[in-house]
Amino acid sequence: DDNKYFYTVHSELNAILNYRGGSLEGSKIYVTLFPCNECAKAIIQSGIKAVIYRDDLYKDTKEVKASKRMLKTAGVEIIEYKSTGRTLNITL
């Protein structure tokens, strides 16, 4: 089958698997969408202690409900990112 989802990894898991700086214990992860249940497992196991997310588009799905339950039970802080409206301009 040519479904791309059979061949890809979510960004959270990709970041955890590719981190080469030692332990992630006590760190924070910044994500666009609230993590799914599979990514939540990796976040918990890696020792990440805070998830900062921008959008919770799939909040009514079983996967995200399970994710929230697991993260809270594991003591991972869940923080919704609030935009400040600031911008950064870089001239190259």
Side-chain angles (χ1 to χ4, degrees), residues 33-65:
L33 294 175
F34 197 92
C36 71
N37 61 312
E38 294 300 321
C39 289
K41 294 173 194 177
I43 289 166
I44 293 164
Q45 290 298 317
S46 70
I48 293 170
K49 291 299 178 192
V51 172
I52 297 89
Y53 70 95
R54 189 183 70 195
D55 294 314
D56 196 4
L57 296 178
Y58 304 105
K59 64 183 172 218
D60 295 324
T61 65
K62 294 182 292 185
E63 293 82 4
V64 170
K65 288 178 181 180

Side-chain angles (χ1 to χ4, degrees), residues 1-11 33 58:
D1 194 335
D2 287 335
N3 186 327
K4 72 177 182 177
Y5 299 107
F6 293 146
Y7 306 99
T8 61
V9 174
H10 286 177
S11 60
L33 294 175
Y58 304 105

Side-chain angles (χ1 to χ4, degrees), residues 23-29 43-44 46-50 77:
S23 174
L24 289 169
E25 190 70 39
S27 63
K28 299 175 183 176
I29 189 167
I43 289 166
I44 293 164
S46 70
I48 293 170
K49 291 299 178 192
E77 190 176 4

Side-chain angles (χ1 to χ4, degrees), residues 1-2 4 12 20 26 32 40-41 45 58-59 61 66 68 78 80-81 87-88 90:
D1 194 335
D2 287 335
K4 72 177 182 177
E12 299 91 334
R20 299 288 182 254
T32 305
K41 294 173 194 177
Q45 290 298 317
Y58 304 105
K59 64 183 172 218
T61 65
K68 288 178 181 177
I78 298 169
E80 181 180 3
Y81 175 77
T87 60
L88 175 63
I90 300 174

